[in-house]
Amino acid sequence: MEIDVEQYKKDLLAQGAEVVFSKTKNLTDTPFSYCGGCGHGVAHRLIMEVIEEMGITDKTIGVAPVGCAVIAYEFWNIDAVQAAHGRASAVATGIKRTNPEKFVFAYQGDGDLAAIGTAETVHTCNRGENIAIFFINNGIYGMTGGQMAPTSLIGMPSSTAPYGRNPDMHGYPLSLTNLLAQLPGTYYITRQAVNTAANVRKCKKAIRQAFENQKLKKGVSLVEIVTNCNSGWKMTARQANKWLEENMLSQYPLGDIKVPKTDN
Amino acid sequence: MAKIKGFVEFSIEQCKGCELCIEACPFDVLEMSHQVNGKGYTYPLMKHPEQCTGCTSCALVCPDVVITVYKVPTKK
Ligand SMILES: Cc1ncc(C[n+]2csc(CCOP(=O)(O)OP(=O)(O)O)c2C)c(N)n1
Ligand code: SF4
Ligand code: SF4
Ligand code: SF4
Ligand SMILES: [Mg+2]
């Protein structure tokens, strides 16, 4: 028997149904410019939800990258600036040092953070700046049409390596996150994903931790978020999330990489 | 124990038809429409509303924040 959906909703409202999930006020009404199914949208939402839940909306400044998220400030209903390619953590450093009472974060793709911005990323982490870095790793340059990135997997096809990444020619996938964990200036480093509801919940906890850590002034908190780029990978969103699970997560396993030592 | 009941609403014009919500729903509540929205994308509908528990899984994975979730509070 077909249920009348509108009637069913009315019945549940009459039984006291309440909203348990709705869009955070920290996202604007501007629709995301991202391809359908792209992980950038979920990453934006989680960061903005955490800022709302912590009550730090007026105390937070974000730095947008070059990459698909270049106009993230149009979507985030908070103060934000946009940095030159790869330089988001350097810009975030300046903002934090001049406004130490603010919560400051850099939001960067893998081409931005781990290719052109490698030097800035390493030195920001080595200086132990009190900022959060959200690193959106989709293993490709999404914005410019799916070129190979340092993070691309071995064998992964892209527009600049159509037969797949060949380590003899192109080198190996770079896990900058693991290298950064070696630096004394990093305080908290974790790798998360947003491809399933369970992973979204865990990722949000990690983002919250990264913001909470800023109060302690103990260095960089970096949350890598492994995401899909279904357009660059030339897949549907559902196929891309499956491919992510089966391929990206063996190269980039999820979980905490560096957690603060508890003093006792 | 009383059955947990909920429902979802969609901002249909924001939907990009990615189907990740369909994949995420543990209770087979959703299906894609046969119509398209103003952007030309198909969008989700509640096929089996009576199976929805208001668990929020669909909303958590939706990249375009299309979904609002309602739940009837469970009585003690
Ligand atoms: C100085 C400079 N060099 C190159 C470019 C071209 N460019 C724009 S975005 C991009 C890569 C972005 O990749 P990523 O950071 O992984 O972001 P995604 O789009 O995948 O999220 C490049 C090379 C540029 N805009 N500026
Ligand atoms: S090109 Fe890739 S990273 Fe960019 S919006 Fe599309 S799916 Fe997302
Ligand atoms: S709230 Fe849960 S049960 Fe209801 S449609 Fe969404 S995923 Fe399915
Ligand atoms: S996950 Fe969101 S954008 Fe994708 S089909 Fe479902 S409602 Fe539409
Ligand atoms: Mg990328």
Side-chain angles (χ1 to χ4, degrees):
Chain A
M1 193 194 68
E2 277 287 297
I3 291 192
D4 178 344
V5 175
E6 291 312 314
Q7 189 56 46
Y8 187 76
K9 290 190 211 168
K10 275 187 202 142
D11 291 348
L12 292 201
L13 286 172
Q15 292 170 36
E18 293 166 356
V19 174
V20 288
F21 181 95
S22 62
K23 182 171 167 172
T24 165
K25 289 187 209 62
N26 282 351
L27 286 171
T28 65
D29 291 335
T30 309
F32 292 147
S33 49
Y34 307 115
C35 308
C38 174
H40 273 298
V42 183
H44 282 10
R45 194 192 76 226
L46 295 181
I47 295 167
M48 292 303 124
E49 284 177 354
V50 165
I51 292 169
E52 182 178 19
E53 286 162 22
M54 287 176 70
I56 57 171
T57 301
D58 300 333
K59 293 193 199 113
T60 305
I61 303 173
V63 184
V66 168
C68 282
V70 66
I71 56 164
Y73 53 81
E74 296 279 356
F75 314 129
W76 302 338
N77 211 356
I78 61 163
D79 288 333
V81 292
Q82 189 272 320
H85 203 6
R87 277 59 176 175
S89 72
V91 172
T93 297
I95 295 173
K96 183 71 178 185
R97 286 193 175 201
T98 47
N99 301 272
E101 74 291 356
K102 301 281 187 197
F103 291 82
V104 179
F105 71 90
Y107 182 102
Q108 304 180 254
D110 48 312
D112 194 82
L113 178 141
I116 194 168
T118 306
E120 281 75 10
T121 306
V122 168
H123 288 291
T124 299
C125 290
N126 195 46
R127 291 191 306 268
E129 302 294 341
N130 291 305
I131 62 166
I133 299 177
F134 302 116
F135 168 31
I136 312 301
N137 182 7
N138 53 18
I140 205 159
Y141 295 174
M143 184 195 202
T144 41
Q147 291 83 2
M148 182 171 54
T151 45
S152 299
L153 306 184
I154 291 172
M156 179 178 170
S158 55
S159 62
T160 45
Y163 303 109
R165 183 180 195 154
N166 170 2
D168 294 340
M169 177 93 89
H170 310 124
Y172 297 89
L174 175 64
S175 178
L176 195 55
T177 302
N178 292 74
L179 294 178
L180 296 170
Q182 311 289 317
L183 301 175
T186 54
Y187 184 61
Y188 171 60
I189 298 217
T190 185
R191 187 182 290 116
Q192 303 289 328
V194 291
N195 59 322
T196 64
N199 284 347
V200 168
R201 287 196 178 90
K202 284 186 209 151
C203 185
K204 185 170 174 181
K205 287 203 182 99
I207 291 168
R208 171 95 192 208
Q209 189 64 53
F211 277 106
E212 296 285 355
N213 288 347
Q214 267 189 58
K215 298 176 189 162
L216 306 174
K217 302 188 171 56
K218 292 207 167 154
V220 171
S221 291
L222 186 147
V223 182
E224 175 177 341
I225 306 174
V226 181
T227 58
N228 62 17
C229 171
N230 48 82
S231 291
W233 297 358
K234 309 270 182 275
M235 297 175 196
T236 65
R238 287 171 94 164
Q239 287 167 338
N241 272 0
K242 191 159 181 276
W243 194 88
L244 181 152
E245 191 88 43
E246 291 168 358
N247 297 277
M248 289 287 278
L249 299 188
S250 42
Q251 177 67 39
Y252 301 112
L254 302 184
D256 291 339
I257 296 166
K258 185 176 192 178
V259 285
K261 287 188 198 73
T262 43
D263 6 68
N264 51 14
Chain B
M1 199 185 81
K3 190 173 167 290
I4 303 167
K5 287 184 286 188
F7 69 91
V8 288
E9 277 190 322
F10 309 98
S11 311
I12 288 168
E13 289 308 317
Q14 307 296 318
C15 175
K16 293 178 186 160
C18 71
E19 303 187 9
L20 294 182
C21 53
I22 308 275
E23 183 92 22
C25 177
F27 303 109
D28 192 29
V29 173
L30 307 174
E31 70 176 344
M32 293 306 278
S33 66
H34 296 287
Q35 323 273 305
V36 294
N37 66 12
K39 290 177 181 151
Y41 296 113
T42 54
Y43 50 86
L45 300 168
M46 281 203 288
K47 171 180 59 167
H48 294 302
E50 74 288 0
Q51 284 167 211
C52 178
T53 61
C55 71
T56 74
S57 294
C58 53
L60 289 178
V61 301
C62 174
D64 287 278
V65 211
V66 169
I67 306 175
T68 305
V69 186
Y70 294 76
K71 190 173 178 178
V72 180
T74 37
K75 292 187 198 76
K76 294 275 149 59

